[in-house]
Amino acid sequence: MKWYTLVCFSLMLSCFSNIIVAQNFIEPAAGFSMKKITYVTMKDGSKLEGSFKGGQEALNGGWKWITFKPTDGKRMKIQAADIKSMLVPESKLSKLSEATSIINDATKWDQDVTLNKDAIKEGYYYYETTTLAKKKKDIVAVRQILNPGYSDKIKVLDNKAGIDGPTARLGGIKVAGGNDRSYFIIVGDAKAIKVSAKKYDEQFLELFAACPEFVDKYKSDISWSDIEKHVFEFSQSCKE
């Protein structure tokens, strides 16, 4: 029976490898370390290093403002509108560093995150301040980027209210279970919009309109289960 077990295990690893190469999104942050250094880049170009102490949650995740203690100063409150980006260290229970080391060989990192590549590989969540389009009032918040290695042209943001059911993960990457019903997505310099499984067929055409060849390739067979593949291929093959 040992050979049978070995064959099954090999097939399982092969299956996981195929999923990983397909450029699955990074796992949404599950916790943060307050002992390791957090790096904050402000919109005015200044940079801060210190401890991330939490903040006020925005609708569907992210923060409207954060509490931050610089290594050489007192605790302060920083509004999301003043922040450009953040690198926040994972907690001990997180598997992000394992995940990014697994996908490193397969991912063609964009130039805009090359300087952050080592930090992300070492277990840092990458955040940017984004504007979420809403009917009554837009929401400005610091939100996690789920495709940090290829987010130059298109960014996928976590939607805390957009997942159904339990999810199985391998090293911080989702491999089975759960139902990601929606994400917030930014194309270029536009505001973030909610893209959902229910409306993906019609949203696909608008979302990827900047690349007609790409749209033509997939428009006859649009599937929500392929959204991660769509985002990655769009980011790589539709460079301007």
Side-chain angles (χ1 to χ4, degrees), residues 6-229:
L6 182 60
V7 169
C8 289
F9 182 71
S10 298
L11 289 173
M12 181 179 68
L13 287 180
S14 176
C15 178
F16 284 163
S17 296
N18 289 335
I19 293 171
I20 290 168
V21 172
Q23 303 305 324
N24 293 66
F25 301 147
I26 292 296
E27 179 180 5
F32 311 100
S33 171
M34 294 187 181
K35 294 182 179 180
K36 295 181 180 179
I37 298 296
T38 287
Y39 301 92
V40 179
T41 299
M42 305 295 287
K43 285 189 175 178
D44 64 7
S46 60
K47 299 180 183 296
L48 303 174
E49 295 185 11
S51 300
F52 172 66
K53 302 297 184 181
Q56 181 182 359
E57 278 203 37
L59 181 67
N60 300 122
W63 301 287
K64 292 182 179 179
W65 52 262
I66 67 167
T67 300
F68 186 80
K69 185 181 184 304
T71 52
D72 57 353
K74 296 182 179 180
R75 183 176 298 207
M76 63 174 68
K77 178 179 176 180
I78 307 177
Q79 297 293 331
D82 297 324
I83 297 172
K84 179 181 179 181
S85 63
M86 292 174 55
L87 285 166
V88 185
E90 64 179 339
S91 67
K92 290 183 178 180
L93 297 178
S94 174
K95 297 295 183 181
L96 177 63
S97 56
E98 182 181 344
T100 51
S101 67
I102 289 175
I103 68 171
N104 181 53
D105 291 338
T107 301
K108 297 178 181 179
W109 292 75
D110 285 333
Q111 291 300 313
D112 67 326
V113 295
T114 298
L115 295 178
N116 298 328
K117 179 177 178 180
D118 289 339
I120 294 172
K121 283 174 57 182
E122 291 172 6
Y124 275 77
Y125 295 109
Y126 181 63
Y127 285 77
E128 287 187 5
T129 292
T130 61
T131 301
L132 175 61
K134 302 295 287 185
K135 288 184 179 180
K136 293 184 178 181
K137 183 178 180 181
D138 292 344
I139 299 175
V140 177
V142 186
R143 295 181 183 273
Q144 183 186 358
I145 306 299
L146 299 184
N147 62 322
Y150 48 100
S151 58
D152 185 23
K153 190 178 183 68
I154 183 169
K155 304 183 196 303
V156 180
L157 315 177
D158 182 28
N159 177 11
K160 295 295 185 184
I163 299 177
D164 264 343
T167 301
R169 298 184 182 271
L170 173 64
I173 299 176
K174 186 187 70 176
V175 295
N179 178 20
D180 295 314
R181 293 175 292 128
S182 64
Y183 296 105
F184 295 123
I185 295 182
I186 300 173
V187 178
D189 297 323
K191 296 177 182 179
I193 61 171
K194 182 179 177 180
V195 177
S196 66
K198 186 176 181 180
K199 298 181 179 180
Y200 190 52
D201 280 8
E202 56 187 84
Q203 290 181 311
F204 177 93
L205 302 178
E206 179 181 355
L207 196 63
F208 302 111
C211 192
E213 297 84 359
F214 177 83
V215 172
D216 289 341
K217 179 180 179 180
Y218 289 107
K219 66 181 181 181
S220 62
D221 185 24
I222 302 171
S223 173
W224 176 253
S225 63
D226 290 330
I227 187 171
E228 291 163 310
K229 179 178 72 174

